[in-house]
Amino acid sequence: MIETGVESEQNQRVFRDRLVDAGHLIPSGVKGVYGYGSAFESVIRHLDAYVTKVGADQNAEVIRFPPILSRATYERTDHLETMPHLLGSIHSFVGEESEYRELVRMHEAHEDWSRSLARTDVMLAPAVCYPLYPTASGTLLPSGRVVDLMGFAFRHEPSDDPARIQMFRQREYVRLGTSAQAIAHRDEWLRRGETLLKSVGLDVTRVVANDPFFGRGGRVMKATQREQELKYELVVPITSRQKPTAVASSNYHVDHFGVTFDIRTADGDVAHSACVGFGYERIALALFNTHGIDSGLWPRDVKRVLELS
Amino acid sequence: MIETGVESEQNQRVFRDRLVDAGHLIPSGVKGVYGYGSAFESVIRHLDAYVTKVGADQNAEVIRFPPILSRATYERTDHLETMPHLLGSIHSFVGEESEYRELVRMHEAHEDWSRSLARTDVMLAPAVCYPLYPTASGTLLPSGRVVDLMGFAFRHEPSDDPARIQMFRQREYVRLGTSAQAIAHRDEWLRRGETLLKSVGLDVTRVVANDPFFGRGGRVMKATQREQELKYELVVPITSRQKPTAVASSNYHVDHFGVTFDIRTADGDVAHSACVGFGYERIALALFNTHGIDSGLWPRDVKRVLELS
């Protein structure tokens, strides 16, 4: 049976309402922005611990960034050219008393007071690994680096689909090193990610994918990225069987970040990089969709693997 | 001895450099925006677990929000009137192909492309409890509510002081209920916070405080807040003995959020609220400042309390 677009939207609404009724999602009035209840958060906490266990042998450097990055760093990436529709630019009020009075007047008159704000020195991070690369400029050791990151990523894509969240948690393992090291990381984590998701009972499929590049020029970039098989996603049905949702991805960036941020291997070559990313809210949603809205009633095996009591 | 402003700035720089050298802070190129190394993060993780232990008897509802809140919610608060200089408004690109070409041209010409962005439906949360109140509209049970929150708060106040961070983690326990329930919560957590911070060897002092209200009108609000003793801070010397840093605060909001978001007690009165907030990065910085830059060498008692191995 072919699902229609209307059916898919109905599925999204039905699942969203069930999540809200169960207290897993707390609506904020904005599409794709939710609070999370205690059972949902418990699943995320246990999932995080499980990923840590699966990645323990990597001896990764643990680094955490807040969900913002320097605007100057952002401007050095190609994100503005490739995915401007997803960006989050942070603006604030920097005026004195007279500008303040005008700001308050505009607010009271229901005018667009945001126009009178100024850009700050920071942007929201489009992925948790963006703040890392500029801090890695210079020459790597021969072993390269493996970095363990976790944080919030922002993408401006308001949606009724509960699996499309504007600011969501990502766990990443990033590899910096030679081309061989980066490709091995991408491939190894694609396998590990698949095993990890299957071990918690998810119906996961590996697919070649592309980033959501903007506009006409983006079409060519999408095709090239697919052709070169730089991005793989692990997809699981959540609100649609025909359009399963990416819950993890494993990516080889070639020398993209190495060139941009002057990261070099011990041999003096431009470093290559790769990253695997796990979308925690989406994996939790896939689990609630697959095993039922009450995590206390999930299959014993799944609870055992996640060490959920 | 009286510290001069220059000495205080020197202390800030010296401490910041030590933190960077030890790998605790990773500079981003923007003031007050850092990545955090693994030893620093380990302290924060253990601190979080310790706060959970200290608050276990509260049987609080665990809720987590992403660090954004609805712009409509933000507009219902008085934050724009009282602290506009600290706000974070999120803007994005919503144009089509022609606007896109202009955006890219501006970027390439080093013009201010941020001017061509549009406000989104979201703002950065100025405190982790802001997203909670609009979701609490309606009538409480007689017991009211105690809510356990953790997340990032944004305040636009770039500074060379390593203890003044633009986007930092806050753990909060929020009380919604009668005036008596809210005041008891504020007072109880002031005591608990003081005990908690002393138990990890910090030289903590309780002070009456005020929020950093903007401008001329703000001066009156600060005085009123102090006079009514609505806000207490727990301060610890970090980069200055004369101006110790607030690492936690316990606040009674009277019926401020109850009125704004129509939260009512079981008796139909407007609900009162209170919250305690722990600033995790600041507490960690106070610990590194007090006990030394190598957490492995901290006093045995401190390590025992935090269960640091």
Side-chain angles (χ1 to χ4, degrees):
Chain A
M1 283 232 301
I2 309 272
E3 245 172 35
T4 65
V6 174
E7 278 166 346
S8 167
E9 277 171 35
Q10 269 176 352
N11 290 345
Q12 290 174 4
R13 262 198 304 273
V14 168
F15 186 45
R16 185 180 174 283
D17 289 348
R18 287 179 66 214
L19 291 159
V20 171
D21 289 346
H24 296 328
L25 297 190
I26 302 165
S28 73
V30 175
K31 290 178 183 194
V33 180
Y34 307 97
Y36 306 100
S38 64
F40 192 94
E41 281 303 307
S42 173
V43 168
I44 291 211
R45 213 162 45 244
H46 284 83
L47 185 60
D48 189 44
Y50 182 38
V51 175
T52 299
K53 200 166 124 182
V54 168
D57 68 328
Q58 307 275 295
N59 295 312
E61 300 166 57
V62 175
I63 298 179
R64 297 290 180 261
F65 291 98
I68 50 179
L69 84 162
S70 140
R71 184 176 295 271
T73 292
Y74 178 83
E75 297 220 32
R76 287 172 71 187
T77 73
D78 63 3
H79 193 268
L80 185 78
E81 275 75 34
T82 57
M83 290 175 265
H85 55 304
L86 301 180
L87 71 78
S89 176
I90 303 174
H91 299 215
S92 195
F93 173 73
V94 295
E96 300 296 330
E97 205 67 39
S98 59
E99 291 91 351
Y100 167 74
R101 282 194 298 271
E102 175 61 8
L103 179 76
V104 172
R105 187 202 61 74
M106 290 176 90
H107 179 221
E108 283 169 356
H110 303 285
E111 294 174 17
D112 182 1
W113 51 267
S114 76
R115 289 263 152 217
S116 64
L117 304 179
R119 62 181 170 180
T120 66
D121 284 341
V122 284
M123 300 278 298
L124 288 174
V128 300
C129 57
Y130 267 59
L132 174 69
Y133 303 112
T135 71
S137 298
T139 302
L140 301 165
L141 295 174
S143 53
R145 292 175 70 182
V146 184
V147 184
D148 166 348
L149 301 172
M150 213 287 273
F152 283 95
F154 177 81
R155 296 183 190 165
H156 185 242
E157 41 180 0
S159 166
D160 286 319
D161 182 353
R164 197 164 287 282
I165 291 173
Q166 292 200 46
M167 200 157 186
F168 56 94
R169 279 164 283 188
Q170 268 187 340
R171 176 77 179 268
E172 285 201 21
Y173 286 91
V174 178
R175 186 76 169 105
L176 301 170
T178 63
S179 154
Q181 286 167 338
I183 291 170
H185 181 85
R186 193 265 316 265
D187 294 345
E188 171 61 20
W189 273 102
L190 193 54
R191 276 190 296 274
R192 280 194 199 198
E194 210 168 348
T195 307
L196 185 158
L197 295 166
K198 282 184 176 162
S199 75
V200 291
L202 296 181
D203 178 16
V204 58
T205 308
R206 171 197 297 212
V207 297
V208 172
N210 59 262
D211 286 306
F213 298 118
F214 181 82
R216 278 206 287 273
R219 266 178 252 156
V220 180
M221 299 179 71
K222 286 176 187 172
T224 309
Q225 196 181 24
R226 284 178 167 272
E227 213 170 82
Q228 300 183 357
E229 300 189 7
L230 299 178
K231 185 180 190 69
Y232 284 90
E233 286 178 344
L234 298 172
V235 302
V236 175
I238 300 181
T239 53
S240 162
R241 286 213 74 82
Q242 258 133 44
K243 292 186 181 169
T245 301
V247 300
S249 75
S250 201
N251 311 283
Y252 172 41
H253 315 130
V254 197
D255 61 1
H256 184 76
F257 291 108
V259 168
T260 304
F261 295 107
D262 194 23
I263 311 168
R264 306 202 154 258
T265 67
D267 291 340
D269 296 330
V270 176
H272 286 225
S273 61
C275 70
V276 64
F278 293 95
Y280 278 171
E281 285 86 355
R282 283 188 172 179
I283 298 174
L285 291 169
L287 289 166
F288 282 108
N289 182 59
T290 304
H291 302 309
I293 212 76
D294 181 350
S295 51
L297 303 177
W298 287 359
R300 194 169 307 168
D301 278 1
V302 174
K303 291 206 277 186
R304 187 182 43 74
V305 170
L306 289 174
E307 300 183 29
L308 281 168
S309 57
Chain B
M1 283 236 300
I2 308 272
E3 245 172 40
T4 65
V6 173
E7 278 166 346
S8 167
E9 277 171 35
Q10 269 176 352
N11 290 345
Q12 291 173 4
R13 263 199 303 274
V14 169
F15 187 44
R16 185 180 173 285
D17 290 348
R18 287 180 65 214
L19 291 160
V20 170
D21 290 345
H24 296 326
L25 297 191
I26 303 165
S28 72
V30 175
K31 291 179 182 192
V33 180
Y34 308 97
Y36 306 99
S38 64
F40 192 93
E41 282 302 309
S42 172
V43 169
I44 291 212
R45 214 163 44 245
H46 284 83
L47 184 60
D48 188 44
Y50 182 39
V51 175
T52 299
K53 201 166 124 185
V54 168
D57 67 328
Q58 307 277 295
N59 294 311
E61 301 167 54
V62 175
I63 298 180
R64 296 291 179 259
F65 291 98
I68 49 179
L69 85 163
S70 141
R71 184 176 295 270
T73 293
Y74 179 82
E75 297 221 30
R76 288 170 71 188
T77 72
D78 62 2
H79 193 268
L80 185 77
E81 275 76 33
T82 57
M83 290 175 264
H85 56 302
L86 300 180
L87 70 78
S89 175
I90 302 173
H91 298 215
S92 195
F93 173 73
V94 295
E96 300 296 329
E97 206 66 40
S98 59
E99 290 90 353
Y100 167 74
R101 282 195 298 271
E102 174 62 7
L103 180 76
V104 171
R105 187 201 62 74
M106 289 176 90
H107 179 219
E108 284 169 355
H110 302 286
E111 294 174 18
D112 182 2
W113 50 269
S114 76
R115 289 264 151 216
S116 64
L117 305 179
R119 62 181 170 180
T120 66
D121 285 341
V122 284
M123 300 277 297
L124 289 174
V128 299
C129 57
Y130 268 58
L132 173 69
Y133 304 112
T135 72
S137 298
T139 302
L140 301 165
L141 295 174
S143 53
R145 292 175 69 182
V146 184
V147 184
D148 165 348
L149 301 171
M150 214 285 273
F152 282 95
F154 176 81
R155 295 183 191 165
H156 185 242
E157 42 181 359
S159 166
D160 286 319
D161 182 354
R164 195 164 288 282
I165 291 172
Q166 291 201 47
M167 200 158 187
F168 55 94
R169 281 164 282 187
Q170 269 187 338
R171 177 77 178 270
E172 285 202 21
Y173 286 91
V174 178
R175 186 75 169 105
L176 301 170
T178 63
S179 152
Q181 285 167 339
I183 290 171
H185 181 84
R186 193 265 317 263
D187 293 344
E188 171 62 21
W189 272 103
L190 194 54
R191 276 191 295 273
R192 280 196 198 195
E194 211 170 345
T195 307
L196 185 157
L197 295 167
K198 282 184 177 163
S199 75
V200 291
L202 297 181
D203 177 16
V204 58
T205 308
R206 170 197 297 212
V207 296
V208 172
N210 60 261
D211 286 306
F213 299 118
F214 180 82
R216 279 206 286 274
R219 266 179 251 155
V220 180
M221 299 180 71
K222 287 176 187 172
T224 309
Q225 197 183 22
R226 283 178 168 273
E227 212 170 80
Q228 300 183 357
E229 299 190 7
L230 299 179
K231 185 178 191 72
Y232 283 91
E233 286 178 345
L234 297 172
V235 302
V236 175
I238 300 182
T239 52
S240 163
R241 287 212 73 83
Q242 256 132 46
K243 291 186 182 171
T245 301
V247 300
S249 75
S250 201
N251 312 282
Y252 172 41
H253 315 129
V254 196
D255 60 2
H256 184 78
F257 291 108
V259 168
T260 304
F261 294 108
D262 194 23
I263 312 168
R264 305 202 155 258
T265 66
D267 291 340
D269 296 330
V270 176
H272 287 225
S273 61
C275 70
V276 65
F278 294 94
Y280 278 171
E281 285 85 354
R282 284 188 171 179
I283 298 175
L285 291 169
L287 288 165
F288 282 108
N289 182 59
T290 305
H291 302 308
I293 212 74
D294 181 351
S295 51
L297 302 177
W298 286 359
R300 194 170 304 170
D301 278 1
V302 174
K303 290 207 276 187
R304 187 183 43 74
V305 169
L306 289 174
E307 299 182 29
L308 282 167
S309 56

